[in-house]
Amino acid sequence: MGELTGKRIVLGVTGGVAAYKAAELVRALVREQAAVEVVLTATGARFVSAATFQALSGNPVWLDLWDDRASGGMAHIELGRRADAIVVAPASADFLAKLACGLADDLLSTLCLARPAGRVLMVAPAMNREMWDNPATRRNAARLREDGVALLGPADGEQACGETGPGRMAEPGELIEALIATFQPRRLAGRRLLITAGPTFEPIDPVRGLTNLSSGRMGYALARAAAEAGAAVTLVSGPVSLATPGGVERVDVLTALQMREAVLSRLADIDLFIAVAAVCDFRAAEPSVAKVKKEGASLSLPLARNPDILAEVAARPDAPFCVGFAAETERLEEQAEAKRRAKGLPLLVGNLVQEGMGGENSRLVLFDDGGMHPIAPGSKREIARRLIGEIAARLPGGAHG
Ligand code: C5P
């Protein structure tokens, strides 16, 4: 099932070279099973034709304020009213100006003005960097944010005009993620989350080290789900090859000691700490500065114990609500509950590792003072959302949204 199943999205395309990316955005929306209706402005149509959008969306494209397909020629009212969200990508400097002033002289600007209160309007500006930097455009963008319009981007980079700077349209993948997020319940609105994820890497010498097979996927999925739920999220991550979820602040570390330092220095004002990282229990006591050579019959490697970051945070008098993870290969119930008590946690997520670490499917069970609570299986993303719901419900002050 798509992430946007049952959602009706109006996609406005205004004039700009980035209009070609709107075609990709329509495909991505349809892939997530959204019903897409494209509204093309006159200048937008000079860049990409209506036929392209019609083929990709499977729906006729709206071009004209006076289109009489809608009952009584009221397309500007009807389209906005039946949409769950309006997305304008790319949004030109001219369109931002119109929107900021409340002008309504074509179908897209009129339907944006006529949208029902509270309807999501997401806008992805794209223009030459000088146009974006112009105080007039900046003023318009700030005004739109104040009016509750969600502005995404523009990104920095190479521009079609040959210049480099801010003005590139946000990528379709980023827009889709942000749109999906707007439909999630805001259970963590106003909360601040610190989360660890991934493995740690403990150097033995400049080219070797101790680590484990944690992929970081569960921690990243939780960080994403928490951001979708409205939390301000800081993700302290060991070495993984995963993209940072939208809206998440990421701090990269390598070793357990660096992870501990990154966590302890960011605890102020944190409401919730979730430790998902598979922290190496030991590190090389004295990593070699030069590469260790294989000559010699054997090698012994003295190890030192790493600090338990979660236990340390949970033991603080001003500890945030702490959630731990325990991956076990057997006797999950006994071991997870023992770990929860030893670390002094209100909540621990037990994971029976059947497919090895980093496997796609996880069977998760929650342990708290009330006992054991299995989490219904699903994709990593679904499970992450369920977990965030369970955690939000247990937070002091309860879930918001
Ligand atoms: O004791 P064990 O490593 O099984 O506990 C797992 C939980 O403790 C996880 O939540 C993990 O992120 C956290 N942990 C930690 N620092 C360590 C070891 C584990 O924060 N040094």
Side-chain angles (χ1 to χ4, degrees):
M1 186 149 133
E3 288 284 339
L4 294 170
T5 305
K7 300 292 182 208
R8 287 177 164 274
I9 311 296
V10 164
L11 173 65
V13 180
T14 73
V17 185
Y20 79 91
K21 286 196 203 169
E24 205 183 318
L25 181 57
V26 175
R27 289 198 62 195
L29 287 166
V30 169
R31 211 177 296 130
E32 295 297 349
Q33 296 178 3
V36 187
E37 292 192 278
V38 175
V39 178
L40 196 53
T41 65
T43 38
R46 307 203 50 134
F47 288 89
V48 180
S49 86
T52 300
F53 290 116
Q54 177 162 338
L56 293 175
S57 69
N59 285 318
V61 171
W62 298 84
L63 298 156
D64 188 1
L65 188 55
W66 306 108
D67 196 317
D68 58 9
R69 272 174 295 170
S71 58
M74 288 285 173
H76 64 290
I77 303 286
E78 284 224 340
L79 275 172
R81 200 159 278 173
R82 67 180 178 226
D84 294 293
I86 302 169
V87 180
V88 182
S92 63
D94 176 67
F95 187 75
L96 291 185
K98 266 191 202 170
L99 208 54
C101 293
L103 294 182
D105 63 353
D106 64 2
L107 179 56
L108 185 58
S109 54
T110 310
L111 78 87
C112 285
L113 195 66
R115 75 189 186 282
R119 181 73 80 253
V120 171
L121 173 57
M122 189 176 281
V123 164
M127 65 199 71
N128 164 272
R129 72 183 171 88
E130 301 280 15
M131 292 170 88
W132 174 249
D133 275 336
N134 189 292
T137 306
R138 287 312 177 96
R139 230 175 11 245
N140 292 333
R143 166 80 59 88
L144 289 173
R145 281 195 197 96
E146 273 169 32
D147 291 348
V149 175
L151 255 81
L152 258 98
D156 246 8
E158 277 177 33
Q159 302 205 297
C161 51
E163 297 180 14
T164 304
R168 286 170 59 87
M169 188 178 114
E171 292 303 320
E174 195 187 324
L175 292 172
I176 292 274
E177 287 303 322
L179 192 59
I180 291 170
T182 63
F183 295 118
Q184 301 307 314
R186 314 279 291 169
R187 293 187 183 109
L188 291 177
R191 307 284 199 171
R192 300 179 67 84
L193 163 67
L194 188 61
I195 179 166
T196 65
T200 63
F201 180 92
E202 313 294 335
I204 294 172
D205 71 14
V207 292
R208 306 184 183 94
L210 304 170
T211 189
N212 58 60
L213 288 175
S214 165
S215 67
R217 282 205 291 264
M218 178 48 82
Y220 274 60
L222 274 175
R224 179 193 300 277
E228 283 177 354
V233 182
T234 303
L235 168 64
V236 177
S237 175
V240 296
S241 49
L242 295 172
T244 310
V248 168
E249 187 202 354
R250 171 167 161 185
V251 181
D252 284 317
V253 297
L254 203 58
T255 67
L257 293 179
Q258 288 169 1
M259 185 172 275
R260 173 180 177 273
E261 174 57 32
V263 166
L264 296 185
S265 64
R266 287 176 176 78
L267 274 178
D269 299 325
I270 292 295
D271 304 291
L272 170 62
F273 177 56
I274 310 181
V276 197
V279 182
C280 290
D281 291 325
F282 293 93
R283 65 181 181 276
E286 283 174 35
S288 169
V289 254
K291 189 176 166 191
V292 174
K293 293 291 169 196
K294 58 178 168 285
E295 288 74 31
S298 66
L299 170 72
S300 67
L301 185 66
L303 298 179
R305 190 73 194 259
N306 271 329
D308 189 318
I309 304 166
L310 175 57
E312 194 173 337
V313 172
R316 289 166 69 108
D318 57 346
F321 187 86
C322 288
V323 181
F325 268 71
E328 305 293 344
T329 51
E330 53 185 7
R331 295 182 292 124
L332 178 66
E333 184 176 349
E334 192 185 312
Q335 306 213 51
E337 186 54 22
K339 204 160 275 185
R340 186 175 83 86
R341 291 189 183 281
K343 295 189 197 238
L345 307 174
L347 183 64
L348 184 126
V349 185
N351 180 3
L352 195 55
V353 185
Q354 291 154 324
E355 300 172 357
M357 259 176 133
E360 230 350 293
N361 298 309
S362 310
R363 285 221 156 255
L364 300 184
V365 183
L366 296 183
F367 295 84
D368 65 9
D369 285 340
M372 257 177 75
H373 317 275
I375 294 285
S379 68
K380 271 233 153 84
R381 190 161 189 163
E382 286 160 354
I383 290 178
R385 284 192 188 137
R386 279 179 204 140
L387 274 177
I388 288 297
E390 296 283 348
I391 292 169
R394 288 169 171 81
L395 277 180
H400 299 188

